[in-house]
């Protein structure tokens, strides 16, 4: 059961990274690259500060408004 829980979390974090990438770039090529290297891309976004000041929750909500 642990493997299933971790795979769902892995999938959700990957989708979250794609949402962040599309919010900032709007490029299919960058979206494909971030899909391949999404853990590195997510760490990059965290370190550069693109997810600070509440952007980490504003970005996913912007897709559903």
């Amino acid at each position: 059961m642990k493997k299933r829980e971790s795979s769902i979390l892995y999938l959700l974090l990957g989708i979250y990274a794609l949402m962040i990438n599309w919010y900032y770039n709007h490029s299919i090529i960058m979206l494909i690259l971030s899909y391949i290297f999404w853990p590195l891309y997510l760490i990059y976004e965290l370190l550069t500060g693109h997810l600070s000041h509440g952007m980490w929750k504003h970005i996913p909500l912007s897709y559903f408004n």
Side-chain angles (χ1 to χ4, degrees):
M1 196 67 178
K2 272 191 165 195
K3 183 173 174 90
R4 182 176 178 184
E5 292 169 0
S6 64
S7 65
I8 291 173
L9 180 63
Y10 193 80
L11 174 70
L12 290 177
L13 284 174
I15 292 171
Y16 183 67
L18 294 177
M19 292 170 87
I20 292 168
N21 187 322
W22 188 256
Y23 184 81
Y24 285 118
N25 297 321
H26 293 287
S27 170
I28 298 294
I29 295 170
M30 287 298 295
L31 192 71
I32 292 170
L33 285 175
S34 72
Y35 175 72
I36 295 169
F37 302 110
W38 75 260
L40 297 174
Y41 180 76
L42 196 57
I43 292 170
Y44 168 76
E45 290 293 326
L46 285 169
L47 291 176
T48 57
H50 286 147
L51 299 178
S52 61
H53 305 293
M55 287 303 287
W56 65 272
K57 54 184 176 176
H58 172 74
I59 292 171
L61 291 176
S62 70
Y63 289 101
F64 299 108
N65 288 335

